Amino acid sequence: QKEVEQNSGPLSVPEGAIASLNCTYSDRVSQSFFWYRQYSGKSPELIMSIYSNGDKEDGRFTAQLNKASQYVSLLIRDSQPSDSATYLCAVNTGSGTYKYIFGTGTRLKVLA
Amino acid sequence: DAGVTQSPTHLIKTRGQQVTLRCSPKSGHDTVSWYQQALGQGPQFIFQYYEEEERQRGNFPDRFSGHQYPNYSSELNVNALLLGDSALYLCASSFGQGSTDTQYFGPGTRLTVL
């Protein structure tokens, strides 16, 4: 089992729809969770971080964390063609470890 | 507010050569992490530097080494390059001693080994 798993996609949604991206992780003691967006040929750009169970909203983005079920998701409302990118989920287990463990990313395509 | 910077942008080397990549952290940040991202994969943690020392290392051979300077900038050195070292090398900076500190990535260095 991979430490952080994401569906590679592509996930295709029409413009204006809600895109839902999911990520599961294996280490129960994980403490910090991050979503990054990566355009083709570019570096990852931080979208959101989440540390506590529940929802966290920032503009069109909502991150959801459920530690009991070991998953974290990202919702993108009113999806735009410019949102087309690969979305990377990253997890830090805390407990004295400083590295982020990344999933392989989900490719999102927003169709105009 | 200057973000994370990396140099060079692109690099082409041949097998067996050595390479040095450089990173300047975001203003106010004191910690630098290095990641390797192969095509179609997520970034893989190489190591992290804090207070000029390697604080944690990922599953990479000793051919990968690093350094952090008093001004917090950092270098990644790779010796005896292999074809499989071709990847995007990412530097990420953060502030503080906490393991949960948010990391911000630089633009990366694309290394091609022929």
Side-chain angles (χ1 to χ4, degrees):
Chain A
Q1 182 187 8
K2 291 183 179 179
E3 294 177 278
V4 178
E5 292 203 60
Q6 296 181 256
N7 188 319
S8 61
L11 172 66
S12 295
V13 300
E15 183 175 358
I18 296 175
S20 178
L21 306 164
N22 299 312
C23 170
T24 58
Y25 59 94
S26 61
D27 193 332
R28 284 194 169 275
V29 301
S30 297
Q31 297 183 1
S32 310
F33 308 86
F34 306 86
W35 283 100
Y36 288 84
R37 177 174 63 196
Q38 187 172 29
Y39 293 111
S40 181
K42 301 297 184 181
S43 67
E45 172 191 8
L46 179 70
I47 298 175
M48 293 186 71
S49 59
I50 187 167
Y51 304 95
S52 304
N53 279 327
D55 294 0
K56 179 181 178 181
E57 187 174 318
D58 184 0
R60 297 188 295 114
F61 300 96
T62 299
Q64 300 175 318
L65 175 60
N66 184 324
K67 290 186 177 181
S69 300
Q70 295 176 235
Y71 83 79
V72 57
S73 62
L74 180 70
L75 301 178
I76 307 175
R77 290 181 299 280
D78 187 24
S79 295
Q80 301 298 309
S82 59
D83 294 325
S84 298
T86 296
Y87 289 79
L88 295 164
C89 171
V91 174
N92 176 279
T93 58
S95 301
T97 183
Y98 303 95
K99 67 178 181 180
Y100 285 12
I101 302 171
F102 282 85
T104 55
T106 297
R107 191 156 64 96
L108 173 67
K109 296 176 70 173
V110 180
L111 308 173
Chain B
D1 181 19
V4 182
T5 60
Q6 291 186 244
S7 63
T9 305
H10 296 88
L11 206 50
I12 299 175
K13 292 286 188 178
T14 57
R15 281 177 297 173
Q17 286 190 311
Q18 178 265 343
V19 68
T20 297
L21 310 181
R22 295 177 174 82
C23 170
S24 290
K26 184 179 170 69
S27 179
H29 285 186
D30 58 4
T31 302
V32 172
S33 303
W34 287 92
Y35 291 82
Q36 179 197 66
Q37 187 177 25
L39 205 59
Q41 301 298 313
Q44 298 290 315
F45 177 79
I46 302 174
F47 42 55
Q48 185 182 85
Y49 276 83
Y50 173 70
E51 293 188 339
E52 302 180 51
E53 291 193 359
E54 183 183 289
R55 177 156 70 174
Q56 187 175 12
R57 188 179 185 89
N59 190 24
F60 279 80
D62 292 344
R63 298 187 298 110
F64 290 77
S65 63
H67 187 79
Q68 185 179 35
Y69 294 93
N71 67 352
Y72 309 120
S73 67
S74 177
E75 290 180 352
L76 165 65
N77 301 292
V78 187
N79 294 323
L81 285 167
L82 304 173
L83 295 179
D85 295 332
S86 295
L88 178 67
Y89 287 84
L90 296 162
C91 167
S93 75
S94 55
F95 172 75
Q97 299 182 23
S99 58
T100 59
D101 299 322
T102 302
Q103 297 180 10
Y104 297 87
F105 285 88
T109 294
R110 174 74 61 186
L111 173 64
T112 302
V113 182
L114 301 177

